[in-house]
C-alpha cells in the first residue's frame, strides 16, 4: 500500500491537480461562446453553403442534443446542466439569465488567487453580452429593416464603442449584410437574394 501511495503522488502532484468540474465548465463555456453564434448563423442561412458553418465542438453539440431531447427539464443541478440551460437562454437573446446561471457556478471559487472568482465572473458577463449581441443579430436580423444603435446598447447594457466594434466585425466577415447609417445612428439591413445561377451553384456544391 505504501508503494501504491508513493506512485500515485508521483503521477499526480497535488499542486498540478485540476478539479474536473472546473475543467468541464471551462471547456463547455468556451464551446458555448463559439457554437451559439455558429448555430444561429447556420439556422438563418439554411440555404447557403453549410461548410461555412461546420460543427466546432462535437461534444458540446452532443450534450445540447441530449438536453433538447429531454421531455422534462428540471432546475439545473450539475455544471453541465447549468451550461446547457445558459445556452438555451443565450440563443433566445436572454443574456442576463445566461450570466446569472454561469456566474452562480461554485467552481470559480476553486481558481487560485485573490479575487480570481470575481474577475472571472466580470469577464464572463462581458463575453456573454458580446456573444448575445452577435447571436441576436444573426438570429433575428432578417425580421428587421433597420436597428437602432442606442436600442442595442440599452438591450445588452454595452458601451456604444463596444456595440459598434462587434457589429462592424460582423459586417466585415459578411456574417451580417448591413451598413451603418451614421446621421441617424442606425444599422440598415440589406436584402441580398441569390440569383438563379447562384442557387444552382450552391446546390451543386452541396451535392
Amino acid at each position: 500500500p505504501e508503494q501504491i501511495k508513493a506512485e500515485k503522488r508521483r503521477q499526480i502532484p497535488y499542486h498540478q491537480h485540476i478539479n474536473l468540474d472546473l475543467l468541464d465548465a471551462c471547456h463547455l463555456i468556451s464551446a458555448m461562446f463559439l457554437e451559439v453564434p455558429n448555430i444561429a448563423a447556420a439556422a438563418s442561412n439554411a440555404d447557403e453553403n453549410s461548410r461555412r458553418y461546420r460543427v466546432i465542438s462535437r461534444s458540446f453539440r452532443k450534450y445540447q442534443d441530449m438536453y433538447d431531447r429531454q421531455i422534462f427539464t428540471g432546475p439545473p443541478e450539475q455544471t453541465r446542466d447549468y451550461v446547457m440551460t445558459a445556452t438555451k437562454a443565450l440563443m433566445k437573446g436572454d443574456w442576463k439569465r445566461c450570466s446569472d446561471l454561469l456566474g452562480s457556478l461554485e467552481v470559480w471559487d476553486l481558481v487560485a488567487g485573490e479575487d480570481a472568482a470575481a474577475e472571472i465572473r466580470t469577464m464572463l458577463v462581458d463575453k456573454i453580452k458580446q456573444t448575445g449581441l452577435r447571436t441576436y443579430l444573426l438570429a433575428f436580423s432578417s425580421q428587421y429593416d433597420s436597428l437602432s444603435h442606442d436600442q442595442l446598447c440599452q438591450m445588452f447594457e454595452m458601451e456604444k464603442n463596444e456595440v459598434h466594434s462587434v457589429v462592424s466585425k460582423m459586417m466585415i466577415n459578411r456574417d451580417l449584410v448591413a451598413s451603418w447609417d451614421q446621421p441617424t445612428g442606425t444599422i440598415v439591413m440589406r436584402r441580398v437574394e441569390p440569383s438563379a445561377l447562384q442557387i444552382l451553384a450552391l446546390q451543386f456544391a452541396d451535392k
Side-chain angles (χ1 to χ4, degrees):
E2 290 298 323
Q3 282 183 339
I4 292 167
K5 279 184 185 176
E7 186 64 30
K8 281 187 177 177
R9 281 198 203 101
R10 276 197 292 273
Q11 284 175 348
I12 306 175
Y14 181 75
H15 69 280
Q16 288 185 356
H17 181 75
I18 300 172
N19 183 283
L20 292 178
D21 247 7
L22 177 61
L23 204 63
D24 203 29
C26 293
H27 170 253
L28 287 173
I29 291 167
S30 302
M32 180 191 79
F33 287 141
L34 293 169
E35 280 287 9
V36 168
N38 195 35
I39 293 165
S44 61
N45 297 288
D47 56 332
E48 290 189 19
N49 193 351
S50 58
R51 286 178 196 171
R52 188 180 171 190
Y53 307 109
R54 67 187 185 281
V55 175
I56 296 168
S57 173
R58 290 188 186 281
S59 58
F60 178 84
R61 290 286 184 107
K62 184 181 78 175
Y63 295 141
Q64 194 201 14
D65 286 343
M66 284 163 59
Y67 186 81
D68 288 340
R69 281 182 197 148
Q70 286 178 1
I71 296 164
F72 173 75
T73 51
E77 293 174 4
Q78 301 174 339
T79 303
R80 192 180 295 165
D81 295 339
Y82 272 89
V83 178
M84 291 299 119
T85 311
T87 301
K88 277 220 143 186
L90 192 61
M91 288 181 84
K92 293 174 185 172
D94 188 358
W95 66 269
K96 285 185 180 177
R97 175 155 169 72
C98 179
S99 59
D100 288 342
L101 284 163
L102 297 184
S104 63
L105 288 173
E106 293 175 2
V107 292
W108 306 129
D109 297 324
L110 300 169
V111 181
E114 275 190 47
D115 300 327
E119 285 176 18
I120 287 169
R121 286 185 175 104
T122 307
M123 181 196 72
L124 267 178
V125 171
D126 290 340
K127 290 282 182 190
I128 288 164
K129 285 178 185 178
Q130 291 176 15
T131 310
L133 174 60
R134 287 182 60 211
T135 308
Y136 183 81
L137 289 172
L138 287 165
F140 304 113
S141 62
S142 59
Q143 297 174 23
Y144 290 96
D145 285 324
S146 63
L147 278 159
S148 169
H149 190 185
D150 294 334
Q151 183 69 21
L152 289 175
C153 293
Q154 285 177 11
M155 281 172 67
F156 293 93
E157 293 178 16
M158 292 168 70
E159 296 291 328
K160 281 194 171 187
N161 290 345
E162 289 179 296
V163 172
H164 194 281
S165 172
V166 171
V167 175
S168 296
K169 276 180 188 172
M170 290 178 71
M171 289 176 186
I172 291 164
N173 295 333
R174 304 293 295 166
D175 291 329
L176 189 68
V177 183
S179 61
W180 282 105
D181 188 63
Q182 298 291 353
T184 56
T186 55
I187 304 156
V188 181
M189 301 299 163
R190 308 286 179 199
R191 299 282 178 267
V192 183
E193 295 296 330
S195 65
L197 181 62
Q198 285 173 324
I199 292 167
L200 287 169
L202 289 169
Q203 288 173 355
F204 179 71
D206 286 337
K207 287 176 183 176

